[in-house]
Every structure is written in C-alpha cells, then in structure tokens.
Amino acid sequence: MAAKKQKAKTGKAATARNYGYFDDARKEYVLLNPATPIKWCNYVGTLDFGGIVDTTGGTVLCKGDPALNRITKYISQMPASDFKGSTVYICIREKDKSRILSPFVVPTCTIWDKWECRIGLSYTKWIVEGFGLRVKVTVFVPSKSRTLIQDITVENISNKAMEVDVVPVYEFSHFDALKQLTNADWVPQTMTLEAHKESSGHVILEQYAYMKKQYAVNYFTANKPADSFDGDRKAFLGLNEITGWACPYTLHKGKLTNSTALRGDNIAAQMFKFKLARKKSGRVVTQLGQEKSIDAAKSSIKKYRNLKNVDKAFAELTNFWNNYLNALQVATPDASFNSMVNIHNPRQCHTTKYWSRYLSLYQLGFGSDRGIGYRDSSQDLLGVMSHMPEEACLLAENLLSVQLEDGNAMHQYFPSTMEANEGDSREKEDHPKYYGDDHLWIVLTVASYLKETGNLKFLSKSIPFYNKKKDIKHREKGSVLEHLKRSLAFTWKDRGRHGIPHLGFADWNDTVNLPTGAESIFNASLFAKALLEMIDICEAIRDKKLVEQYKKWYEEIKIKVNKTAWDGQWYVRWFDEKGKALGSSKNKVNKIDSLGQSWPIISGIASPERAKIALKSVYNLLNTKNGIKLSWPGYKGFDPHVGGVSTYPPGAKENGGIFLHANPWVMIAETIVGNGDRAFQYYNQINPAARNNGRIDEFESEPYCYPQNILGNEHKQFGLGRNAWLSGTSSWTYQAATQYILGVKATIKGLSINPCVPKSWKEFSIKRKFRGSVYEISVKNPRGVSKGVKSIVIDGREIVGNVLPILPGKKHVVKIVMG
Ligand code: GLC
C-alpha cells in the first residue's frame, strides 16, 4: 500500500515520495502513506480543551494547561510504531480465529489495501479499506466543548456477513504531566478508575488522580452500550502485558475483563460488537472529556450520545473555519501561495495563538520551564488580528497583566494559574534577569488591535501590573496606555555605552546571552518600531505631548544606530559588555546576522541607500535555496561568552541555521525597498507546500505548516526541517504575505493598500473583512511594476491617497491600478 500510486478524486497522484496531496476544496491535506519521515500531526480543540492528534492515531490531550492538567499519556520520543495515548482496535471474529487490526496502522502494524488520513481544520479523518471492511474514524473537539469526539464507522464491503468488534482505547496521564514521567511511586498509587454501568447498558469510565477527585474527573463513554470494558492496562493487555499494544492478548478472547483500577496504569477501553450483513455499516461515537464530576458531565454526555448533535457539532466546526478564513481570501497567479495564504497559514496562526510554544511534538509541555511565552504570544496575536481581534485582545490583556511595574515583562506565564516566571534568565548568575525585548512586542500587538478595530477605548481599560509578592487584589493597576508608556520608558532608560538599548538576558534571539552591559541593535530597532506605532496611537487620541516625546526618542535612536552600528556593508547585531561588535565583518564567526539588517529597515532606521546595501549583503552571504540563514559563519564549538548559540553545531537553529521566523522579516524589508521579486523569491523558498512534490524526504517535516527551523548549508543535513507548528514564522509569514506583498494593512483611519508583488503578476484580488464590511479588491498591474498605486476606485468613486475609507454598508468594490 505504501509504495503504491493512488489516484485521488481530485485527479492528483501521490507517490511514496510525496506522501500525499493538498485538497484545497476540502481544506485538507490528504496523507496516503502512514510511514511519514517523522511524526506528522494535527491540532484539535484549543488550549481550553484539546491537543494533538498524530497521523497514526496517537493523542495528547489536556484541559487548560498541558503541564498541570494533562489527560492522555503521549511519549513523543517513542518510535512511530508504538502506541501513544490512544488507538482503535478492529477485531474481526471468524469461527476459530480473530484478526486484530488498527485503522491507524499503529500499533497492530496493519497493512490496508487503501489508507487515507485527511488532515483537516481541527479534525483528522481516516478512511481505510481492507479485510472486507471500510473503516472511517473522525476525531475532533466540538467548539467550546470539553470533550474529544471519536466518530467510528465500520462498513462491511465484503460479500458475506461479518462480526466485528470495535475497541477504542485511551491511556491516561497523571494531571501533572512531568510527574507521570519522573515518579513511578506516588503517581501510580493515586491513579484511579471507576466504572458506572447505566441501566441502558452504556458504560461511563471515570478516571482521576486521587487528590483531584473533588475538583475534576476524566470520563470516557459512547453513544452505544458497551459489551465489556477495561480500566486497568494490565488486565486489558493480558499476559502481564508481554504481548504489548501490538497484540493485546485479551482482545483474542472476544471480551474485555471489566476491570477497574485502584492504582496503576489507567486506561479507558470499551468493546462494541457489530454483526454486519453485506453492505451494512455500524457507527459508534466515543467521548473523552473532563468535568468537575460525572454528574456535571451528564448534559454533555447526553448531547453527544445523540448522533444528530455530533453531526451538527462537526458542521459547526466547518462553519467556524469558513467564517474565520473568510476574513481574508486571495486569488493570485501562484497556486501554492493561494493555498498557504487562504488555508494553511491562517490555520497555523490560529494554532500558535492558542498553544504559543507550549505543546507540540517538540515543545512537550512538561514541568515548569515553559508556559505561555510573552514575546511569542505577543507576535502570534499579530497573525490572527484580522481574523479574531476580540479573542486576540483577551490574550493581550493576560500578557499585559504579567508586565511588571517598571515596564519590563515576565518571560512566561502559566495559563491555568496566571503565575509568571522569568524564563531561562533565572538560571544564569552575573547575567541580567530580564529580556530586553519582551515588553516591546506588546506595543505592536495593542497597536495592531486598535488599528483593526478602531476601539480606542481599550486604551483606558485598567489592568494590573504583575507583582509576585502581592495578591492580585493588591497589585498596582494602570490603563493599557500606561502599560505601553512604561514599556517604552523602560527601554529608553535602559541603554548602554553607545546609547543603544541593553540586551538584557537575551533579545529575540534567546541563545545569545552576553554578560551584563551588552547592547542590542535588534532591541533598538524593535524599540523604534514600537515608537512609530505609539506615535500613530497618540496621534489618534490627540496626545500631542506624547507624540513629541516619542518622535524625539525615535530620532535619537535612529541617529545612535546609524552612527555606531554601520559596519560598511551591513549593520552589526550586538555590542558585547566591552563594546566589541558581534555580527561584524571583523569577526571570525558570526560576521553578519539577518535581524541586524531586516529590523533597521522595518523600523525606518536605515536610510534607503543603507537598506539596499544591507539587503544585498543578506542575499549574498545569508541566502540559500532553502531559506535565509540567521547568521554566518556559525560558532565552531562552545563559547561561554555567548552561551546557548554555540551549543549547536554550525548550521543548526540560531547558530547559522535557517531560522524561519527571521525570513519574513527580510521579505518585509525587501517590500519596503520595493523589491517584489526578491520578496516573493524568499516567500517561495520556505513555503512548505511547495516542497510537497518530491522534496519531503529531505525536509521531513509536514508540508502543511511551517517548521521553526531548517538546517543551513554549514550542516551536512542541509534542508532538514525541524520543530513544526509552533513558531513565530507562521504569524510573520502571514503578515509578510498579506500586509507587505499584497500590501493590505489596517490603519486607524482605514485600510491601507500598498502592494509589492512580482513584476510578472498582471492581476490579483483580495477579499478582506474590515470594520464590519467586506472590501472586494481587484488589482491590475498592466505595466508590470512591483510597487506603486496609480489609482483607486471604490464603489465607482476615485479616491486620493491609498487608504480605503471606513464606509457603511456590507460590501465595497475596490478597483486598483498599479503603475
Ligand atoms: C524560539 C523561542 C522564541 C525565540 C526564538 C529565537 O522560537 O520560542 O521566543 O525568539 O526561538 O531564539
């Protein structure tokens, strides 16, 4: 099956080398080969309740917090073939033997005649055929619910009657996910599973860690009465577990043991028996949820035992996504650009919005060293602002509430407790205990919200500052505006010998940790960009005094950077504690860094001449066919002076790897200087969808989402993608594509239009929801320019300038001519 060519309905062929294809009409990626180079996955639900489902049926599920309230046990380091948190067994009963299969291939190693895994928007659907059966499994979390639905259909496609048992099974984790892995004494003593048999024959399995019983319980049930069940792993697998998940001995007996568990490894398995005549099918829908008690779960259980409600919930999910994606749809001459911008990139932005860097198959959400990242989430929100501004605003409020009174911010916080921490900076003596950039990102986020919605009242909302020593009631409060003012004031005061903002423990690049006193050109540029945003905001609220002050600060930073940081062909990136430059041509390693070029351009610090020279250096020294490297050359061994960056081999991650997050910043910079062809070349280089044809084995990572990094050309595995899904790449590539290449950007006064496209694009169109209306924008480019708007006609009337006014009415037709 794996190597076989399969012809899909859309007519596209998938071979083992490209694993699957994009079905844009259904907004799915269709995987035809389960043996992906590494584990590929999908997200279901949100951080409120949800998690990850991999393509071989493994599930990581949590409610509110993967570290402190985990539900299923998923050990991502295990080989793809192993059971990871969940599976479904299909047992075909024949006279003297039974056949045990799994639609996910794992853990039974079943080879089906046809195997298809449709990775959809917040759901995954498997459709498999073989052994006389067609099996369909769909997994999703209904919007706003706290239950994972698994909808299983078995259809007899053979020419004889069949007896089939369907046995879904989940394995539980202790709610403290790290303890589950580190404590094999206390954890198993507390894990408990009870069974409730209802008079109807339905079974509810109730699971909890003993000390949590009064607060929350997990439950597993179905729409059908169960023939039998198991809650204890040892009983379920049988033979003291020696035949393992691949071949549970008990399943061969045709009946589970009805075990509960007073301790040990808790699972939830139920057996459903089907007698299927030819062409007949059976359906069972399971629910795995968490509520305060089984009583509290009853209404949800009842709701999803009704199959009409299950179908309705699935349809609602589809509606949610259609509505979400409709915020911005494009049609350009480039098909994989359209596919990414219309479906997969905004979808990934939705994922990073909810999961920050907290739970992925790489960032495992164990213990107290992560949580929601301040800078990460501030940037993630920029990627969903046009789609869900009010939801974004709620998260921005949480972020503002972990900002300290002095204007700096805590680096991370735990969503379930709202307790914050200082990130890695806690751990290093003689280094600053704060990050130089965290508090500046939120200025961009709030500005983006205000520009999207026009809701300037938000600036007066009172939000507490974080103070660990005080309980929330006694913390100092300040308006949102006051929070932003303190952000800027913190950096203004915290500058070093060149007048450049201090690095702190780190800036955006987490891995360069220079001793106290170092300065960062990136922090200077981010500060300048934040000042520009604040100037816009203060002009909108007519605070002239602040406008003047911020203009003065901006000019001074601009002068300081240009005076001290220009290296001749590019800007340097840092000054260390002794004033020596890093990212300079004079160095042996780390001669040039991409952020040192993109950000002075994004912030308007670089003059047009310097911008062009710096971007030429990026192209010559940092660009590769797989993306732009963060820096060059890499450190060749551990250097305690710089720290983390030199722990990686050259070409990996921040040490000269293609750190994708930094690529869209160069795209944006190229659009600022008007080079649409180069911006688009950079866009294409890292578009994962464009690798789907035969280039996946080298890349390894999913073709439907951006990974965090690709190994650079100083590394032997050049081209290998790592750390899929949770990366700032998603938000910034989306912004680069929509706001800078297509050039549609929200401003306080309206929608600004300033495309910078490849010269070969003769026309394209954009549908954008904005302040209650839909703007249907079509752009013609008869003279084949990259940049420049010659005329704009809105609803038949020509306007002056390039900002579409906010007009009443549901729809506005906008015709633009470039030239
Ligand atoms: C990771 C971190 C992010 C940081 C980046 C570069 O993506 O989550 O906060 O900016 O690495 O070091």
Side-chain angles (χ1 to χ4, degrees), residues 357 363 370 375-376 379 411 437 507-511 653-654 659 661 708 726-728:
R357 307 295 169 272
Q363 313 195 46
R370 195 85 206 188
R375 78 154 80 87
D376 298 323
Q379 293 171 77
H411 195 55
D437 65 326
D507 58 25
W508 170 87
N509 186 336
D510 259 349
T511 63
K653 296 264 285 191
E654 285 95 335
F659 211 92
H661 191 156
Q708 181 209 60
L726 301 186
S727 162

PDB file of all heavy atoms in Angstrom, residues 357 363 370 375-376 379 411 437 507-511 653-654 659 661 708 726-728, ligand 1:
ATOM      1  N   ARG A 357       4.136  28.396  22.538  1.00  0.00           N
ATOM      2  CA  ARG A 357       5.189  27.392  22.279  1.00  0.00           C
ATOM      3  C   ARG A 357       5.050  26.289  23.328  1.00  0.00           C
ATOM      4  O   ARG A 357       6.007  25.671  23.744  1.00  0.00           O
ATOM      5  CB  ARG A 357       6.605  27.993  22.375  1.00  0.00           C
ATOM      6  CG  ARG A 357       6.825  29.200  21.543  1.00  0.00           C
ATOM      7  CD  ARG A 357       6.730  28.918  20.048  1.00  0.00           C
ATOM      8  NE  ARG A 357       6.690  30.173  19.305  1.00  0.00           N
ATOM      9  CZ  ARG A 357       5.554  30.834  19.034  1.00  0.00           C
ATOM     10  NH1 ARG A 357       4.366  30.348  19.372  1.00  0.00           N
ATOM     11  NH2 ARG A 357       5.608  31.976  18.388  1.00  0.00           N
ATOM     12  N   GLN A 363       8.014  20.736  21.685  1.00  0.00           N
ATOM     13  CA  GLN A 363       7.961  21.519  22.918  1.00  0.00           C
ATOM     14  C   GLN A 363       6.872  20.836  23.725  1.00  0.00           C
ATOM     15  O   GLN A 363       5.691  20.993  23.471  1.00  0.00           O
ATOM     16  CB  GLN A 363       7.653  22.967  22.582  1.00  0.00           C
ATOM     17  CG  GLN A 363       8.570  23.347  21.432  1.00  0.00           C
ATOM     18  CD  GLN A 363       8.691  24.817  21.151  1.00  0.00           C
ATOM     19  OE1 GLN A 363       8.858  25.624  22.052  1.00  0.00           O
ATOM     20  NE2 GLN A 363       8.641  25.153  19.897  1.00  0.00           N
ATOM     21  N   ARG A 370       8.226  26.298  30.951  1.00  0.00           N
ATOM     22  CA  ARG A 370       7.756  26.918  29.718  1.00  0.00           C
ATOM     23  C   ARG A 370       6.510  27.785  29.968  1.00  0.00           C
ATOM     24  O   ARG A 370       6.632  28.912  30.374  1.00  0.00           O
ATOM     25  CB  ARG A 370       7.506  25.849  28.660  1.00  0.00           C
ATOM     26  CG  ARG A 370       7.372  26.410  27.272  1.00  0.00           C
ATOM     27  CD  ARG A 370       8.700  26.612  26.569  1.00  0.00           C
ATOM     28  NE  ARG A 370       8.586  27.656  25.569  1.00  0.00           N
ATOM     29  CZ  ARG A 370       9.538  27.961  24.690  1.00  0.00           C
ATOM     30  NH1 ARG A 370      10.676  27.325  24.698  1.00  0.00           N
ATOM     31  NH2 ARG A 370       9.370  28.928  23.831  1.00  0.00           N
ATOM     32  N   ARG A 375       6.879  37.101  24.577  1.00  0.00           N
ATOM     33  CA  ARG A 375       7.191  37.639  23.242  1.00  0.00           C
ATOM     34  C   ARG A 375       6.539  36.787  22.155  1.00  0.00           C
ATOM     35  O   ARG A 375       6.082  37.289  21.146  1.00  0.00           O
ATOM     36  CB  ARG A 375       8.699  37.727  23.028  1.00  0.00           C
ATOM     37  CG  ARG A 375       9.395  36.433  22.695  1.00  0.00           C
ATOM     38  CD  ARG A 375      10.676  36.690  21.907  1.00  0.00           C
ATOM     39  NE  ARG A 375      11.796  37.096  22.740  1.00  0.00           N
ATOM     40  CZ  ARG A 375      12.634  36.266  23.356  1.00  0.00           C
ATOM     41  NH1 ARG A 375      12.456  34.959  23.264  1.00  0.00           N
ATOM     42  NH2 ARG A 375      13.636  36.722  24.067  1.00  0.00           N
ATOM     43  N   ASP A 376       6.488  35.460  22.421  1.00  0.00           N
ATOM     44  CA  ASP A 376       5.928  34.564  21.411  1.00  0.00           C
ATOM     45  C   ASP A 376       4.462  34.894  21.160  1.00  0.00           C
ATOM     46  O   ASP A 376       4.032  35.095  20.030  1.00  0.00           O
ATOM     47  CB  ASP A 376       6.061  33.104  21.859  1.00  0.00           C
ATOM     48  CG  ASP A 376       7.519  32.694  22.019  1.00  0.00           C
ATOM     49  OD1 ASP A 376       8.351  33.144  21.217  1.00  0.00           O
ATOM     50  OD2 ASP A 376       7.827  31.929  22.956  1.00  0.00           O
ATOM     51  N   GLN A 379       3.612  38.187  19.459  1.00  0.00           N
ATOM     52  CA  GLN A 379       3.777  38.139  18.000  1.00  0.00           C
ATOM     53  C   GLN A 379       2.709  37.264  17.342  1.00  0.00           C
ATOM     54  O   GLN A 379       2.229  37.570  16.262  1.00  0.00           O
ATOM     55  CB  GLN A 379       5.160  37.607  17.640  1.00  0.00           C
ATOM     56  CG  GLN A 379       6.282  38.538  18.051  1.00  0.00           C
ATOM     57  CD  GLN A 379       7.636  37.873  17.869  1.00  0.00           C
ATOM     58  OE1 GLN A 379       8.135  37.767  16.767  1.00  0.00           O
ATOM     59  NE2 GLN A 379       8.221  37.431  18.972  1.00  0.00           N
ATOM     60  N   HIS A 411       8.761  36.641  31.417  1.00  0.00           N
ATOM     61  CA  HIS A 411       9.009  35.996  30.125  1.00  0.00           C
ATOM     62  C   HIS A 411       7.924  34.977  29.759  1.00  0.00           C
ATOM     63  O   HIS A 411       7.620  34.773  28.592  1.00  0.00           O
ATOM     64  CB  HIS A 411      10.381  35.322  30.179  1.00  0.00           C
ATOM     65  CG  HIS A 411      10.906  34.932  28.831  1.00  0.00           C
ATOM     66  ND1 HIS A 411      11.041  35.817  27.789  1.00  0.00           N
ATOM     67  CD2 HIS A 411      11.334  33.737  28.348  1.00  0.00           C
ATOM     68  CE1 HIS A 411      11.524  35.195  26.732  1.00  0.00           C
ATOM     69  NE2 HIS A 411      11.705  33.936  27.038  1.00  0.00           N
ATOM     70  N   ASP A 437      13.531  42.500  25.112  1.00  0.00           N
ATOM     71  CA  ASP A 437      12.528  42.745  24.062  1.00  0.00           C
ATOM     72  C   ASP A 437      11.083  42.443  24.456  1.00  0.00           C
ATOM     73  O   ASP A 437      10.164  43.033  23.882  1.00  0.00           O
ATOM     74  CB  ASP A 437      12.853  41.892  22.819  1.00  0.00           C
ATOM     75  CG  ASP A 437      12.734  40.401  23.088  1.00  0.00           C
ATOM     76  OD1 ASP A 437      13.044  39.962  24.214  1.00  0.00           O
ATOM     77  OD2 ASP A 437      12.312  39.651  22.176  1.00  0.00           O
ATOM     78  N   ASP A 507      17.737  39.055  23.581  1.00  0.00           N
ATOM     79  CA  ASP A 507      16.663  39.734  22.850  1.00  0.00           C
ATOM     80  C   ASP A 507      15.878  38.644  22.131  1.00  0.00           C
ATOM     81  O   ASP A 507      15.810  37.510  22.627  1.00  0.00           O
ATOM     82  CB  ASP A 507      17.228  40.813  21.913  1.00  0.00           C
ATOM     83  CG  ASP A 507      18.228  40.265  20.880  1.00  0.00           C
ATOM     84  OD1 ASP A 507      18.158  39.059  20.542  1.00  0.00           O
ATOM     85  OD2 ASP A 507      19.062  41.050  20.408  1.00  0.00           O
ATOM     86  N   TRP A 508      15.315  38.922  20.963  1.00  0.00           N
ATOM     87  CA  TRP A 508      14.541  37.884  20.261  1.00  0.00           C
ATOM     88  C   TRP A 508      15.338  36.590  20.156  1.00  0.00           C
ATOM     89  O   TRP A 508      14.785  35.496  20.281  1.00  0.00           O
ATOM     90  CB  TRP A 508      14.154  38.382  18.862  1.00  0.00           C
ATOM     91  CG  TRP A 508      13.570  37.275  18.036  1.00  0.00           C
ATOM     92  CD1 TRP A 508      12.258  36.889  17.992  1.00  0.00           C
ATOM     93  CD2 TRP A 508      14.287  36.383  17.166  1.00  0.00           C
ATOM     94  NE1 TRP A 508      12.112  35.814  17.152  1.00  0.00           N
ATOM     95  CE2 TRP A 508      13.342  35.484  16.625  1.00  0.00           C
ATOM     96  CE3 TRP A 508      15.626  36.256  16.784  1.00  0.00           C
ATOM     97  CZ2 TRP A 508      13.689  34.480  15.729  1.00  0.00           C
ATOM     98  CZ3 TRP A 508      15.983  35.257  15.891  1.00  0.00           C
ATOM     99  CH2 TRP A 508      15.010  34.388  15.375  1.00  0.00           C
ATOM    100  N   ASN A 509      16.639  36.726  19.900  1.00  0.00           N
ATOM    101  CA  ASN A 509      17.483  35.536  19.823  1.00  0.00           C
ATOM    102  C   ASN A 509      17.807  35.066  21.236  1.00  0.00           C
ATOM    103  O   ASN A 509      18.712  35.579  21.893  1.00  0.00           O
ATOM    104  CB  ASN A 509      18.761  35.845  19.044  1.00  0.00           C
ATOM    105  CG  ASN A 509      19.589  34.592  18.813  1.00  0.00           C
ATOM    106  OD1 ASN A 509      19.487  33.611  19.559  1.00  0.00           O
ATOM    107  ND2 ASN A 509      20.418  34.612  17.793  1.00  0.00           N
ATOM    108  N   ASP A 510      17.059  34.080  21.669  1.00  0.00           N
ATOM    109  CA  ASP A 510      17.165  33.548  23.031  1.00  0.00           C
ATOM    110  C   ASP A 510      18.539  33.020  23.389  1.00  0.00           C
ATOM    111  O   ASP A 510      18.845  32.823  24.555  1.00  0.00           O
ATOM    112  CB  ASP A 510      16.207  32.348  23.131  1.00  0.00           C
ATOM    113  CG  ASP A 510      14.938  32.728  23.817  1.00  0.00           C
ATOM    114  OD1 ASP A 510      14.885  33.823  24.375  1.00  0.00           O
ATOM    115  OD2 ASP A 510      13.996  31.912  23.791  1.00  0.00           O
ATOM    116  N   THR A 511      19.338  32.703  22.364  1.00  0.00           N
ATOM    117  CA  THR A 511      20.537  31.915  22.624  1.00  0.00           C
ATOM    118  C   THR A 511      21.820  32.739  22.677  1.00  0.00           C
ATOM    119  O   THR A 511      22.893  32.180  22.840  1.00  0.00           O
ATOM    120  CB  THR A 511      20.705  30.835  21.534  1.00  0.00           C
ATOM    121  OG1 THR A 511      20.900  31.499  20.279  1.00  0.00           O
ATOM    122  CG2 THR A 511      19.490  29.928  21.454  1.00  0.00           C
ATOM    123  N   LYS A 653      19.752  25.611  14.063  1.00  0.00           N
ATOM    124  CA  LYS A 653      18.989  26.585  14.855  1.00  0.00           C
ATOM    125  C   LYS A 653      19.601  27.992  14.749  1.00  0.00           C
ATOM    126  O   LYS A 653      19.936  28.443  13.667  1.00  0.00           O
ATOM    127  CB  LYS A 653      18.920  26.126  16.312  1.00  0.00           C
ATOM    128  CG  LYS A 653      18.171  24.808  16.512  1.00  0.00           C
ATOM    129  CD  LYS A 653      16.728  24.981  16.894  1.00  0.00           C
ATOM    130  CE  LYS A 653      16.513  25.403  18.303  1.00  0.00           C
ATOM    131  NZ  LYS A 653      15.113  25.302  18.714  1.00  0.00           N
ATOM    132  N   GLU A 654      19.798  28.641  15.886  1.00  0.00           N
ATOM    133  CA  GLU A 654      20.277  30.032  15.840  1.00  0.00           C
ATOM    134  C   GLU A 654      21.740  30.134  15.420  1.00  0.00           C
ATOM    135  O   GLU A 654      22.221  31.211  15.110  1.00  0.00           O
ATOM    136  CB  GLU A 654      20.097  30.699  17.217  1.00  0.00           C
ATOM    137  CG  GLU A 654      18.658  31.078  17.567  1.00  0.00           C
ATOM    138  CD  GLU A 654      17.953  30.015  18.400  1.00  0.00           C
ATOM    139  OE1 GLU A 654      18.349  28.816  18.328  1.00  0.00           O
ATOM    140  OE2 GLU A 654      17.002  30.368  19.137  1.00  0.00           O
ATOM    141  N   PHE A 659      16.681  29.925  10.472  1.00  0.00           N
ATOM    142  CA  PHE A 659      15.650  30.104  11.493  1.00  0.00           C
ATOM    143  C   PHE A 659      14.504  30.843  10.803  1.00  0.00           C
ATOM    144  O   PHE A 659      14.588  32.022  10.517  1.00  0.00           O
ATOM    145  CB  PHE A 659      16.227  30.897  12.673  1.00  0.00           C
ATOM    146  CG  PHE A 659      15.598  30.525  13.966  1.00  0.00           C
ATOM    147  CD1 PHE A 659      16.151  29.539  14.774  1.00  0.00           C
ATOM    148  CD2 PHE A 659      14.414  31.124  14.377  1.00  0.00           C
ATOM    149  CE1 PHE A 659      15.545  29.170  15.968  1.00  0.00           C
ATOM    150  CE2 PHE A 659      13.803  30.750  15.561  1.00  0.00           C
ATOM    151  CZ  PHE A 659      14.376  29.777  16.364  1.00  0.00           C
ATOM    152  N   HIS A 661      11.557  32.008  11.318  1.00  0.00           N
ATOM    153  CA  HIS A 661      10.908  33.193  11.890  1.00  0.00           C
ATOM    154  C   HIS A 661      11.537  34.490  11.346  1.00  0.00           C
ATOM    155  O   HIS A 661      10.847  35.497  11.151  1.00  0.00           O
ATOM    156  CB  HIS A 661      11.113  33.084  13.406  1.00  0.00           C
ATOM    157  CG  HIS A 661      10.341  34.028  14.258  1.00  0.00           C
ATOM    158  ND1 HIS A 661      10.050  33.735  15.559  1.00  0.00           N
ATOM    159  CD2 HIS A 661       9.860  35.262  14.043  1.00  0.00           C
ATOM    160  CE1 HIS A 661       9.388  34.747  16.098  1.00  0.00           C
ATOM    161  NE2 HIS A 661       9.265  35.685  15.198  1.00  0.00           N
ATOM    162  N   GLN A 708       9.924  25.486  12.689  1.00  0.00           N
ATOM    163  CA  GLN A 708      10.661  26.612  13.273  1.00  0.00           C
ATOM    164  C   GLN A 708      11.983  26.845  12.545  1.00  0.00           C
ATOM    165  O   GLN A 708      12.410  27.968  12.349  1.00  0.00           O
ATOM    166  CB  GLN A 708      10.933  26.328  14.751  1.00  0.00           C
ATOM    167  CG  GLN A 708      11.667  27.428  15.454  1.00  0.00           C
ATOM    168  CD  GLN A 708      12.495  26.879  16.601  1.00  0.00           C
ATOM    169  OE1 GLN A 708      13.381  26.054  16.436  1.00  0.00           O
ATOM    170  NE2 GLN A 708      12.170  27.337  17.806  1.00  0.00           N
ATOM    171  N   LEU A 726       4.634  25.195  16.080  1.00  0.00           N
ATOM    172  CA  LEU A 726       4.599  26.339  16.999  1.00  0.00           C
ATOM    173  C   LEU A 726       5.810  27.238  16.782  1.00  0.00           C
ATOM    174  O   LEU A 726       6.841  27.080  17.436  1.00  0.00           O
ATOM    175  CB  LEU A 726       4.520  25.859  18.449  1.00  0.00           C
ATOM    176  CG  LEU A 726       3.309  24.983  18.765  1.00  0.00           C
ATOM    177  CD1 LEU A 726       3.232  24.683  20.252  1.00  0.00           C
ATOM    178  CD2 LEU A 726       1.994  25.618  18.291  1.00  0.00           C
ATOM    179  N   SER A 727       5.664  28.166  15.874  1.00  0.00           N
ATOM    180  CA  SER A 727       6.778  29.061  15.563  1.00  0.00           C
ATOM    181  C   SER A 727       6.230  30.413  15.137  1.00  0.00           C
ATOM    182  O   SER A 727       5.184  30.498  14.468  1.00  0.00           O
ATOM    183  CB  SER A 727       7.609  28.451  14.429  1.00  0.00           C
ATOM    184  OG  SER A 727       8.420  29.440  13.842  1.00  0.00           O
ATOM    185  N   GLY A 728       6.959  31.465  15.491  1.00  0.00           N
ATOM    186  CA  GLY A 728       6.597  32.816  15.065  1.00  0.00           C
ATOM    187  C   GLY A 728       6.648  32.978  13.550  1.00  0.00           C
ATOM    188  O   GLY A 728       6.162  33.973  13.010  1.00  0.00           O
TER     189      GLY A 728
HETATM  190  C1  GLC B   1      12.170  30.207  19.848  1.00  0.00           C
HETATM  191  C2  GLC B   1      11.546  30.945  21.006  1.00  0.00           C
HETATM  192  C3  GLC B   1      11.425  32.429  20.701  1.00  0.00           C
HETATM  193  C4  GLC B   1      12.741  32.990  20.261  1.00  0.00           C
HETATM  194  C5  GLC B   1      13.308  32.193  19.093  1.00  0.00           C
HETATM  195  C6  GLC B   1      14.688  32.632  18.686  1.00  0.00           C
HETATM  196  O1  GLC B   1      11.310  30.212  18.756  1.00  0.00           O
HETATM  197  O2  GLC B   1      10.264  30.444  21.288  1.00  0.00           O
HETATM  198  O3  GLC B   1      10.946  33.116  21.835  1.00  0.00           O
HETATM  199  O4  GLC B   1      12.549  34.335  19.886  1.00  0.00           O
HETATM  200  O5  GLC B   1      13.391  30.834  19.471  1.00  0.00           O
HETATM  201  O6  GLC B   1      15.648  32.380  19.652  1.00  0.00           O
END
